[in-house]
Amino acid sequence: MTMFLKPLVFLQDSFLAFLSIMHGGSSEDAAVAPKRLEASINGVRISIETTWIRQTRSFLIVPVFKFLVAVCLIVSLLVFVEGVYMNLVVLYVKLFKRKPEKVYKWEPMQEDIEVGHETYPMVLVQIPMYNEKEVLQLSIGAACRLIWPLDRIIVQVLDDSTDETIKELVNTECGKWESKGINIKCERRDNRNGYKAGALKQGMKHNYVKLCDYVAIFDADFQPEPDYLQRSIPFLVHNPEVALVQARWRFMNANKCLMTRMQEMSLNYHFMAEQESGSTRHAFFSFNGTAGVWRLAAMEEAGGWNDRTTVEDMDLAVRAGLLGWKFVFLNDLTVKSELPSKFKAFRFQQHRWSCGPANLFRKMIVEVIRNKRVTIWKKLYLIYSFFFLRKIIVHFFTFFFYCVILPTSVFFPEVNIPAWSTFYIPSLITLFIVIATPRSFYLVIFWVLFENVMSMHRTKGTFIGVLEGGRVNEWVVTEKLGDALKTKLLPHIGKPRNMFLERINSKEIIVGIYLLCCACYGLAFGNTLLYLYLFMQAAAFLVSGVGFVGT
């Protein structure tokens, strides 16, 4: 029995020592407190000099913590100013109706009686896919239904599938549309080098691509409306300085579960604020990898697709932007897409979306600084706002301030964290984000808690990207369900053998337990209501940790 009790006694004494370090010196009775904390394990006496603890706390731990708080407060102001700036630009666009049709020349494509369809440019539509059994019919069908002269469009299916059954399904679907007069090509390679970027790069090497002027790209779960090309191509035809026209995503499964509702709120803000403000103010934003149309000449001048990071879309956009090409974002043109409804799939996606930009920043920072084709203001925008603040700092700040510094502050009552940084500024930033999805306003508390949980994975991904760690080029295809979302067979799709073990996420559980300890300490010894937030945030981490998130 003694052998089993030893670890428990050790943990108890260690926790007492931790509380002594954290709480020492903050009580009015510290002067009369005993100068030695003693405990014993199996007769072996352990003692901790409380005087030394108080000195260490006063001269080392507290100053370091104050410094970290000060850094977080500065970053909080920077993030707030950036949010205000983007929303003011969007407000300007709305108030003065500065739609792209008024800024750039736009006229509908018209057929010439003498030359017929020759007035229409040749368009290539690319659909990269990998074992997309659930959505291949939807994506290929949507691309083949695009309204455009049949002799002026080529649909290219870039199939990297490894499953022979799925390959046959792709062949059957392509054959069906080919029999209806659609010029459709199914291209395959004998490897998956470079993943999506490699497939797109290989697809551009075929001879028929040289006949095309523009290329539209749709991921396997995207379904453009039939008039997509009619509304987007004219911007490229009538404005030779424009390289990219990007449409907004619309989510057909946003109501599937609470997690998809949270994603919808974040992505709607991304398009409303980041994309629209970038398009309006700098004629530059990050290509989203899908639902966009590129001018082939701009792609070739920028060097084409590159698989050096997992964000080949952003890589191409930055290189083209540094050459002076302009980008146009169309908020009114939407393309149906699917959000990941499984938590692990969403985690993999967020790792790629945070790791890739950080790694690209590492690889391109010198190139951006040395560039002489764009203005100094655009370079500052790229380095500070586009990359450093939005793609790197904001992830670190969100996790370390709200999930580490703020919870740990319950042990440092002598360190003052102003209310404007913990309530007023976060509330305003959250309000900016919720405006993009008014119907989800009542879910704002859940969104805040869920975003803080995901900030842990984004921070980890950003670290890996900046330091170019082992998982820097990890690419896990986001699982898509397509029509299976509407069927009763959904629980049987990809059902793991051990549901409980598959759902456990240890990192979330560890952080959740720490937050719960901080909340209990704040409730017992604190003099603020911070513990209310900590209990809710701990619950969010623990719920995510046991896998009760998503479908």
Side-chain angles (χ1 to χ4, degrees), residues 270-428:
H270 164 71
F271 286 110
M272 182 200 77
E274 295 184 22
Q275 301 284 82
E276 187 149 18
S277 65
S279 176
T280 302
R281 183 67 183 86
H282 305 280
F284 173 83
F285 49 86
S286 176
F287 174 45
N288 293 316
T290 180
V293 187
W294 275 92
R295 185 187 301 273
L296 259 69
M299 293 181 67
E300 292 173 357
E301 185 182 358
W305 296 106
N306 194 316
D307 60 0
R308 58 180 172 173
T309 69
T310 56
V311 284
E312 71 292 328
D313 43 11
M314 184 182 294
D315 189 349
L316 177 60
V318 173
R319 283 185 278 116
L322 290 175
L323 294 173
W325 289 99
K326 294 183 178 180
F327 301 168
V328 177
F329 172 70
L330 303 180
N331 187 62
D332 296 334
L333 180 60
T334 61
V335 178
K336 290 191 295 184
S337 64
E338 180 182 328
L339 293 165
S341 58
K342 293 187 177 181
F343 186 52
K344 287 190 180 294
F346 183 56
R347 282 175 56 184
F348 281 126
Q349 183 197 69
Q350 293 304 296
H351 171 81
R352 189 172 75 246
W353 285 6
S354 56
C355 179
N359 189 236
L360 182 64
F361 178 67
R362 171 193 172 110
K363 294 180 184 299
M364 293 204 68
I365 177 64
V366 176
E367 184 179 342
V368 174
I369 294 174
R370 292 178 177 176
N371 182 273
K372 300 184 184 300
R373 299 279 296 267
V374 298
T375 64
I376 183 68
W377 297 112
K378 190 166 185 176
K379 287 198 286 186
L380 286 174
Y381 168 75
L382 275 171
I383 295 172
Y384 169 74
S385 182
F386 180 78
F387 272 120
F388 186 68
L389 193 61
R390 299 184 202 168
K391 302 297 187 294
I392 297 178
I393 292 299
V394 72
H395 300 320
F396 290 141
F397 165 73
T398 302
F399 178 67
F400 284 113
F401 185 59
Y402 295 110
C403 301
V404 178
I405 297 297
L406 204 57
T408 306
S409 68
V410 299
F411 302 114
F412 298 94
E414 65 270 42
V415 178
N416 177 49
I417 301 181
W420 60 261
S421 67
T422 59
F423 180 77
Y424 297 113
I425 282 184
S427 297
L428 287 173

Side-chain angles (χ1 to χ4, degrees), residues 501-517:
L501 293 178
E502 285 287 332
R503 296 171 73 99
I504 293 298
N505 304 298
S506 58
K507 297 181 183 68
E508 285 86 345
I509 291 178
I510 292 171
V511 176
I513 291 174
Y514 176 72
L515 291 173
L516 188 60
C517 292

Side-chain angles (χ1 to χ4, degrees), residues 411-448:
F411 302 114
F412 298 94
E414 65 270 42
V415 178
N416 177 49
I417 301 181
W420 60 261
S421 67
T422 59
F423 180 77
Y424 297 113
I425 282 184
S427 297
L428 287 173
I429 293 175
T430 303
L431 181 62
F432 293 156
I433 294 169
V434 173
I435 289 174
T437 314
R439 76 186 187 98
S440 298
F441 183 81
Y442 68 100
L443 298 174
V444 63
I445 299 298
F446 296 101
W447 178 85
V448 170

Side-chain angles (χ1 to χ4, degrees), residues 113-399:
I113 299 178
E114 296 182 359
V115 298
H117 296 155
E118 294 297 322
T119 56
Y120 284 77
M122 197 74 177
V123 179
L124 176 70
V125 180
Q126 289 184 313
I127 311 174
M129 57 176 56
Y130 171 71
N131 292 337
E132 311 285 4
K133 179 180 179 181
E134 289 77 17
V135 296
L136 66 88
Q137 287 184 323
L138 298 174
S139 58
I140 295 175
C144 292
R145 293 188 187 95
L146 289 170
I147 300 174
W148 204 253
L150 294 181
D151 59 339
R152 309 299 293 171
I153 184 174
I154 302 173
V155 177
Q156 185 187 62
V157 179
L158 302 170
D159 185 27
D160 272 0
S161 299
T162 54
D163 189 305
E164 293 299 327
T165 303
I166 296 177
K167 286 183 179 180
E168 189 58 36
L169 290 173
V170 172
N171 291 337
T172 301
E173 189 67 17
C174 291
K176 181 182 77 174
W177 287 102
E178 187 175 19
S179 66
K180 296 181 180 181
I182 302 297
N183 187 0
I184 184 170
K185 313 284 186 181
C186 182
E187 307 293 355
R188 292 189 172 93
R189 357 176 241 167
D190 55 5
N191 60 72
R192 289 195 67 219
N193 295 341
Y195 303 106
K196 179 182 173 182
L200 292 169
K201 186 175 182 179
Q202 184 66 31
M204 300 298 290
K205 294 180 179 179
H206 297 280
N207 291 330
Y208 57 82
V209 175
K210 299 177 182 178
L211 303 173
C212 301
D213 304 293
Y214 310 109
V215 54
I217 303 168
F218 301 101
D219 281 351
D221 58 319
F222 279 73
Q223 303 166 44
E225 297 297 331
D227 64 346
Y228 175 87
L229 295 179
Q230 292 179 315
R231 296 177 60 183
S232 59
I233 293 293
F235 284 101
L236 296 162
V237 172
H238 300 301
N239 302 277
E241 74 279 12
V242 173
L244 168 69
V245 176
Q246 173 74 59
R248 182 167 59 87
W249 299 357
R250 178 162 53 92
F251 313 107
M252 58 185 178
N253 67 327
N255 294 325
K256 183 61 188 176
C257 61
L258 186 60
M259 190 182 80
T260 53
R261 291 289 295 273
M262 304 300 101
Q263 293 177 65
E264 180 191 36
M265 294 171 69
S266 299
L267 288 172
N268 280 350
Y269 176 73
H270 164 71
F271 286 110
M272 182 200 77
E274 295 184 22
Q275 301 284 82
E276 187 149 18
S277 65
S279 176
T280 302
R281 183 67 183 86
H282 305 280
F284 173 83
F285 49 86
S286 176
F287 174 45
N288 293 316
T290 180
V293 187
W294 275 92
R295 185 187 301 273
L296 259 69
M299 293 181 67
E300 292 173 357
E301 185 182 358
W305 296 106
N306 194 316
D307 60 0
R308 58 180 172 173
T309 69
T310 56
V311 284
E312 71 292 328
D313 43 11
M314 184 182 294
D315 189 349
L316 177 60
V318 173
R319 283 185 278 116
L322 290 175
L323 294 173
W325 289 99
K326 294 183 178 180
F327 301 168
V328 177
F329 172 70
L330 303 180
N331 187 62
D332 296 334
L333 180 60
T334 61
V335 178
K336 290 191 295 184
S337 64
E338 180 182 328
L339 293 165
S341 58
K342 293 187 177 181
F343 186 52
K344 287 190 180 294
F346 183 56
R347 282 175 56 184
F348 281 126
Q349 183 197 69
Q350 293 304 296
H351 171 81
R352 189 172 75 246
W353 285 6
S354 56
C355 179
N359 189 236
L360 182 64
F361 178 67
R362 171 193 172 110
K363 294 180 184 299
M364 293 204 68
I365 177 64
V366 176
E367 184 179 342
V368 174
I369 294 174
R370 292 178 177 176
N371 182 273
K372 300 184 184 300
R373 299 279 296 267
V374 298
T375 64
I376 183 68
W377 297 112
K378 190 166 185 176
K379 287 198 286 186
L380 286 174
Y381 168 75
L382 275 171
I383 295 172
Y384 169 74
S385 182
F386 180 78
F387 272 120
F388 186 68
L389 193 61
R390 299 184 202 168
K391 302 297 187 294
I392 297 178
I393 292 299
V394 72
H395 300 320
F396 290 141
F397 165 73
T398 302
F399 178 67

Side-chain angles (χ1 to χ4, degrees), residues 445-465:
I445 299 298
F446 296 101
W447 178 85
V448 170
L449 299 175
F450 182 68
E451 279 293 295
N452 288 345
V453 172
M454 294 312 302
S455 69
M456 178 180 67
H457 297 286
R458 294 174 184 137
T459 299
K460 182 183 68 173
T462 304
F463 261 122
I464 293 173

